[in-house]
Amino acid sequence: MRIHEVRAHRSEDQLPREQQLAWAMAQVAADEVAVTADVEEMIVNRVIDNAAVAAAAIGRSAPSTARAQATAHGPSSGGIGATVMGLPATQRTSPEWAAWANGAAVRELDFHDTYLAAEYSHPGDNIPPVLAVAQHCGRDGADLVRGLATGYELQIDLVKAISLHKHKIDHVAHLGPSAAAGIGTLLGLPADTIYQAIGQALHTTTATRQSRKGEISSWKAFAPGFAGKVAVEAVDRAMRGEGSPSPIYEGEDGVIAWLLDGPDARYEVPLPEPGEAKQAILDSYTKEHSAEYQAQAWIDLARSLRADHPQVADPQAVESIVVHTSHHTHYVIGSGAGDPQKYDPQASRETLDHSLPYILAVALQDGRWHHVDSYARERATRPDTVALWRSISTVESDDWTQRYLRADTPSYGGRVVVQLRVGETIEREIALADAHPGGARPFARPQYVQKFRTLAEPVLGEAEVERFLDIAQRLPELTATELAQLTFVAAPGQLPEKGLPGMF
């Protein structure tokens, strides 16, 4: 890897394009380096993973709204259109709208892959826009694999170096540029075209983090679909010769100077050397449980703690439960956020998904986590759950913060201290979720396939599940015709009737 140093520059500096981060990213995207076997394997896993969580969410409100909007826009000129998950492959739409709809379906349950470092990310959000363009433009499976390797690489590289949440900017500001770059790789575009698309995509995806604060709404699901849609449109404009604000990161009125750490800021972004394989996807990890990633390890800890000490599930027996964890976990999903909604039984599913006190309370009582049952209103309002929930708090631990930020072996857990009313104290800690590559039961192909079968079979039926798994696992060898079938069709009755009307 090489380190690309980034800082803001005054306009009179006339920073050469070759010294700009967007250009360095475009060079990575245009590099025709081969995809390694382990990266290829992991890309297949994540395509299966995305489809699993999208299938489970396909009938919910946000994906249904996005699907209705998308199907109002038929295939655009210049290609055959792209598929929308849940619908027959013959029912196609314009690629930017397919990216929108499929992106919302993938993100709805907050159940797919993740990478946490200086910033947060779900790099699997690159898959819907890159796949949509691949289908529309008649590309094959090998092309798609190359494009996804780029998307994952650049989003994760940005996440390693540049914090957005510190300045209350939503993390999709790293997704827009990575998806545009991935599409550039897919289509074999020259670096100067990709450079313009990256700039446009970044400029139009910098939004505040209020989408993940307070009463969290369905926009949390729509945000990555919007970034993917913007990326597709940005690439189209760049291909037509249109430019972008530049230097987009380093400019005097650019992203660093005014949205991030300011004119004196310095960032070091790791990027592959020319000819170096794009391996960053191997640093990411998926979820076993449908909850924010920083809650994954705590669900696993709750299962084992409850098995050994059943009394921890009883609010009559528990005086308090204190979670000692990283700054990031404490302030994003813990009581450090200061959001009363994180303790509100009437809060939205999206809010409960970002409440570690709620998640820990339910996991302690149930000994499991379910993407529907664990968020049901009757589950959240159960009096004994509310009592236990409100006895739980989080505190920031310097030690766990340092372990979270450790580049070589990051940790996303902490230590829990349960004070029982009889005077006994129970302590336990966990560093990583069981499904993490360094965890107790790391996910590999069989676990991804099982996750898909478990989530998708009730929605798709067994035959459609097996059809999708067959084509997905042959992804690198798929022809363009076969790639056009890389979607799934919901079983009769699984998609809701038409909802409220919009403009389209």
Side-chain angles (χ1 to χ4, degrees):
M1 301 294 287
R2 60 191 170 97
I3 300 298
H4 183 91
E5 296 184 358
V6 192
R7 67 176 179 87
H9 288 259
R10 295 185 62 81
S11 297
E12 57 260 34
D13 292 347
Q14 297 186 7
L15 183 67
R17 185 173 67 173
E18 291 73 22
Q19 296 179 26
Q20 297 174 27
L21 176 57
W23 178 257
M25 294 167 61
Q27 294 284 80
V28 172
D31 190 352
E32 297 181 355
V33 61
V35 178
T36 61
D38 51 352
V39 168
E40 189 176 85
E41 171 87 1
M42 190 58 73
I43 287 172
V44 172
N45 290 343
R46 300 304 171 76
V47 167
I48 294 170
D49 197 54
N50 266 24
V53 300
I58 206 70
R60 293 174 60 86
S61 176
S64 297
T65 292
R67 186 170 57 250
Q69 290 181 309
T71 53
H73 299 81
S76 52
S77 61
I80 61 173
T83 60
V84 175
M85 289 188 288
L87 302 177
T90 53
Q91 188 173 348
R92 293 175 171 270
T93 189
S94 190
E96 74 276 18
W97 283 101
W100 162 256
N102 294 336
V106 166
R107 177 60 75 86
E108 167 69 7
L109 294 178
D110 206 346
F111 203 178
H112 63 318
D113 67 14
T114 303
Y115 182 76
L116 305 174
E119 185 47 47
Y120 318 125
S121 68
H122 293 281
D125 291 337
N126 285 279
I127 295 174
V130 181
L131 173 58
V133 174
Q135 291 181 331
H136 177 70
C137 294
R139 301 293 168 149
D140 61 21
D143 293 330
L144 177 60
V145 166
R146 286 192 292 272
L148 293 177
T150 291
Y152 270 87
E153 178 68 49
L154 291 177
Q155 185 174 10
I156 290 172
D157 292 344
L158 290 170
V159 166
K160 288 177 178 178
I162 301 177
S163 174
L164 300 170
H165 72 270
K166 176 181 175 183
H167 304 283
K168 312 309 178 188
I169 301 299
D170 196 19
H171 65 242
V172 298
H174 286 334
L175 170 63
S178 68
I183 294 168
T185 298
L186 167 81
L187 298 178
L189 300 178
D192 55 352
T193 301
I194 301 172
Y195 163 77
Q196 301 294 352
I198 288 172
Q200 290 185 31
L202 173 60
H203 187 66
T204 52
T205 54
T206 49
T208 71
R209 229 181 153 269
Q210 188 60 35
S211 58
R212 300 163 206 287
K213 182 74 174 172
E215 182 67 20
I216 302 175
S217 75
S218 59
W219 182 254
K220 184 169 75 73
F222 288 127
F226 176 77
K229 181 175 183 289
V230 163
V232 176
E233 293 167 340
V235 173
D236 180 78
R237 286 190 297 269
M239 291 173 68
R240 298 173 188 272
E242 301 302 331
S244 67
S246 62
I248 186 62
Y249 286 100
E250 302 92 345
E252 186 173 4
D253 289 344
V255 171
I256 292 173
W258 285 98
L259 299 181
L260 301 181
D261 279 318
D264 298 325
R266 299 288 191 278
Y267 298 102
E268 294 185 343
V269 181
L271 295 172
E273 294 276 10
E276 183 180 0
K278 300 161 187 170
Q279 297 272 311
I281 189 175
L282 302 178
D283 294 336
S284 61
Y285 25 82
T286 196
K287 297 179 178 182
E288 182 178 358
H289 316 293
S290 177
E292 209 278 342
Y293 192 83
Q294 294 174 85
Q296 298 292 302
W298 295 106
I299 296 171
D300 294 330
L301 179 144
R303 289 190 299 195
S304 63
L305 186 60
R306 179 183 185 275
D308 296 340
H309 303 279
Q311 65 270 41
V312 301
D314 181 5
Q316 299 299 316
V318 172
E319 180 71 30
S320 66
I321 299 176
V322 180
V323 173
H324 300 257
T325 188
S326 69
H327 171 94
H328 305 71
T329 302
H330 174 56
Y331 283 102
V332 173
I333 63 171
S335 49
D339 297 339
Q341 295 90 347
K342 291 194 188 303
Y343 289 91
D344 182 1
Q346 300 300 326
S348 66
R349 182 196 190 280
E350 292 86 355
T351 302
L352 297 177
D353 166 73
H354 277 56
S355 171
L356 180 55
Y358 174 76
I359 292 167
L360 186 57
V362 173
L364 283 171
Q365 290 190 325
D366 294 355
R368 69 171 194 138
W369 195 260
H370 189 268
H371 65 284
V372 175
D373 299 347
S374 297
Y375 293 105
R377 182 63 59 213
E378 58 270 24
R379 188 68 196 79
T381 56
R382 219 172 75 184
D384 64 320
T385 298
V386 174
L388 184 64
W389 177 6
R390 291 178 175 168
S391 74
I392 300 173
S393 62
T394 68
V395 296
E396 180 181 354
S397 162
D398 289 342
D399 176 57
W400 285 100
T401 295
Q402 292 306 311
R403 293 174 70 171
Y404 181 104
L405 295 172
R406 198 174 296 159
D408 52 347
T409 55
S411 170
Y412 308 118
R415 177 171 60 93
V416 66
V417 179
V418 182
Q419 184 64 52
L420 300 178
R421 296 187 189 278
V422 296
E424 181 185 359
T425 300
I426 301 170
E427 298 189 30
R428 186 164 295 187
E429 67 177 46
I430 188 169
L432 294 168
D434 290 350
H436 187 278
R441 295 179 285 102
F443 261 43
R445 178 64 57 80
Q447 286 73 38
Y448 285 100
V449 168
Q450 185 56 46
K451 181 177 177 180
F452 181 77
R453 287 199 170 104
T454 300
L455 294 177
E457 191 163 312
V459 181
L460 311 184
E462 184 178 354
E464 181 66 356
V465 162
E466 296 307 320
R467 185 203 66 81
F468 178 85
L469 285 172
D470 171 67
I471 195 167
Q473 292 185 88
R474 294 188 291 108
L475 174 59
E477 291 80 40
L478 294 181
T479 65
T481 300
E482 291 173 314
L483 188 64
Q485 304 299 313
L486 186 61
T487 187
F488 57 75
V489 183
Q494 291 296 324
L495 298 182
E497 296 296 324
K498 186 177 294 186
L500 295 173
M503 290 188 297
F504 304 138

